[in-house]
Amino acid sequence: MEAAQQLKTLIKSFAEGDDAHFYAVAMQMAAAEARNGNQKLADDLVRTIDQAKSKTHQANGLLKKLPVNGAQKDLNELLDLIKPHVTLSNMILEDSIKQGLVRLIEEQKKIDLLLRHGLAPRRKLLLVGPPGSGKTMSASVIAAELGLTVFVIRLDGLISRYMGESISKLRLIFDSMKQFKAVYLFDEFDSIATSRTDSNDVGEIKRVLNSFLLEIEKDQSDSIIVAATNLPQALDTALLRRFDDIIKFSLPNSPQIVEAFEEGLKVLEHLIYFNLASTVRERAEGLSYDDIFHICAELVKESILYGDSQITKELLVHYIDKRKSPFK
Ligand SMILES: Nc1ncnc2c1ncn2[C@@H]1O[C@H](COP(=O)(O)OP(=O)(O)OP(=O)(O)O)[C@@H](O)[C@H]1O
Ligand SMILES: [Mg+2]
């Protein structure tokens, strides 16, 4: 395979999560380098591949290692593993949010000191805020900062998949928290609180919510529990009491909008001859961080596909407006 083709296959297998193929192509590339007389580079590549392989192996092995009374297969289906790779410095955060996250991270890092004084570190967090404001990302950041894995649990999926059995499945998850310290993210938590009108069994949803309340109250593990929701009003006060801290996320304000665009368009910096800050500051109000990074990605793609001269203020404005009113 020639180099360009190999590179394409490499990226494709990475995107598809096909580890075996990815490593096979990487090894072919190393072999080609060796054949071309670049022995040192070839050796380096092989070493890097070996290291990466052993890391992937560890991560994939994690779920298998969960020693929960023969229920590993069930757990595998209930928990999605995400490998955290973002840190606090990758996030644009208001001070109050940052302090909330840092506080939990610090208390967890100094867990022994707190326990010696008979104090429990924070570990149950409720994240509230609009879509794309950084809730899921924060769970990942906490995990990365503490060197832990994140397991994502979608409660609505749990209910629809395991009708009648959801409570026992939920217990399984709480059992695994004791056995395996990690960040357990109950994502889109509101979906069960608000999905009472659709075809789901209302009784089942109520039972799961109550059971979740009981389990979270009872939980004595040292895992970190993060629940994320868009709709705080859908949660009753009984639920709110169960958390050590509630962190409220919001859409970016003007300076944060500018910061996000500057970050997202960093690679095109040398091509931007218009005033970026004044272009986006007000126009992008109401968009989320997620929206902003999507717009930036569109521009980066545009420059790759159609050339750098495409990067104009008009194009940026076009993508912002389109994101704000997609059906216009
Ligand atoms: N505060 C932030 N700083 C930097 N990037 C952010 C921030 N918030 C979100 N992003 C970007 O937006 C993406 C989506 O954010 P995330 O998944 O955390 O949103 P969310 O609040 O969980 O949304 P949802 O309610 O839809 O689940 C992130 O992967 C990241 O690229
Ligand atoms: Mg999310």
Side-chain angles (χ1 to χ4, degrees):
M1 237 190 294
E2 61 172 16
Q5 185 58 37
Q6 277 176 333
L7 204 56
K8 242 170 73 184
T9 318
L10 193 71
I11 294 169
K12 188 160 173 282
S13 50
F14 173 76
E16 287 168 357
D18 186 348
D19 288 348
H21 196 199
F22 178 83
Y23 291 127
V25 180
M27 284 304 274
Q28 284 170 16
M29 291 173 89
E33 289 302 333
R35 278 196 305 276
N36 290 338
N38 301 325
Q39 192 57 47
K40 186 167 176 311
L41 177 60
D43 290 346
D44 273 356
L45 280 173
V46 172
R47 207 171 318 116
T48 311
I49 294 164
D50 281 345
Q51 280 167 0
K53 257 189 190 166
S54 97
K55 276 202 185 138
T56 317
H57 187 71
Q58 277 168 17
N60 290 340
L62 276 179
L63 280 172
K64 294 192 193 101
K65 265 195 238 153
L66 290 172
V68 185
N69 43 20
Q72 290 166 4
K73 196 175 152 286
D74 281 354
L75 265 177
N76 273 327
E77 286 173 6
L78 292 168
L79 302 175
D80 275 337
L81 175 86
I82 47 178
K83 296 173 199 165
H85 57 275
V86 279
T87 59
L88 214 46
S89 63
N90 298 114
M91 291 194 84
I92 303 168
L93 293 172
E94 264 162 53
D95 284 349
S96 62
I97 304 177
K98 191 168 181 177
Q99 277 160 16
L101 298 177
V102 167
R103 185 67 192 262
L104 180 133
I105 293 165
E106 286 293 306
E107 291 195 8
Q108 283 294 326
K109 282 187 177 163
K110 297 191 175 143
I111 193 163
D112 292 339
L113 180 67
L114 289 176
L115 291 177
R116 250 184 279 138
H117 286 83
L119 296 166
R122 276 163 206 244
R123 56 180 196 83
K124 297 175 188 172
L125 211 57
L126 177 64
L127 309 181
V128 180
S133 58
K135 302 182 297 296
T136 303
M137 194 177 181
S138 295
S140 226
V141 164
I142 292 171
E145 298 280 342
L146 296 172
L148 297 173
T149 304
V150 191
F151 291 118
V152 186
I153 308 109
R154 297 251 343 230
L155 285 179
D156 58 337
L158 185 136
I159 293 173
S160 50
R161 276 217 315 250
Y162 300 99
M163 214 42 170
E165 277 183 277
S166 9
I167 291 176
S168 64
K169 302 290 178 197
L170 193 64
R171 199 161 304 133
L172 208 58
I173 295 169
F174 276 88
D175 278 346
S176 115
M177 289 180 193
K178 292 188 205 103
Q179 320 250 6
F180 190 82
K181 179 170 180 171
V183 173
Y184 290 78
L185 170 63
F186 290 86
D187 213 359
E188 308 197 18
F189 181 71
D190 43 81
S191 55
I192 65 161
T194 54
S195 54
R196 292 163 202 236
T197 49
D198 65 22
S199 59
N200 279 324
D201 177 348
V202 175
E204 177 88 348
I205 292 167
K206 270 197 182 144
R207 280 192 295 277
V208 171
L209 200 55
N210 286 337
S211 163
F212 180 78
L213 289 177
L214 272 174
E215 293 288 352
I216 198 169
E217 177 112 69
K218 237 174 38 188
D219 172 67
Q220 297 283 344
S221 72
D222 54 5
S223 282
I224 291 156
I225 302 175
V226 180
T229 176
N230 292 326
L231 298 164
Q233 63 275 24
L235 305 175
D236 55 26
T237 43
L239 188 87
L240 302 182
R241 267 193 298 112
R242 263 79 177 183
F243 293 94
D244 297 323
D245 204 357
I246 299 172
I247 302 183
K248 267 184 139 158
F249 288 70
S250 45
L251 295 176
N253 60 20
S254 298
Q256 289 162 342
I257 289 174
V258 174
E259 194 180 341
F261 273 102
E262 282 172 354
E263 175 62 33
L265 295 175
K266 220 162 46 188
V267 289
L268 302 179
E269 208 173 32
H270 59 292
L271 302 172
I272 295 178
Y273 292 112
F274 52 91
N275 188 323
L276 182 61
S278 69
T279 308
V280 299
R281 198 181 285 123
E282 278 158 29
R283 191 169 278 273
E285 245 168 48
L287 292 179
S288 69
Y289 287 105
D290 195 33
D291 290 324
I292 294 175
F293 287 111
H294 264 100
I295 293 169
C296 295
E298 292 292 350
L299 258 82
V300 174
K301 266 194 273 177
E302 197 99 19
S303 90
I304 293 171
L305 294 176
Y306 306 113
D308 291 346
S309 59
Q310 296 296 317
I311 306 309
T312 59
K313 177 173 167 172
E314 288 67 36
L315 189 72
L316 176 57
V317 166
H318 163 76
Y319 277 119
I320 293 175
D321 291 348
K322 198 165 154 215
R323 194 85 191 171
K324 282 182 100 167
S325 324
F327 300 113
K328 246 194 188 160

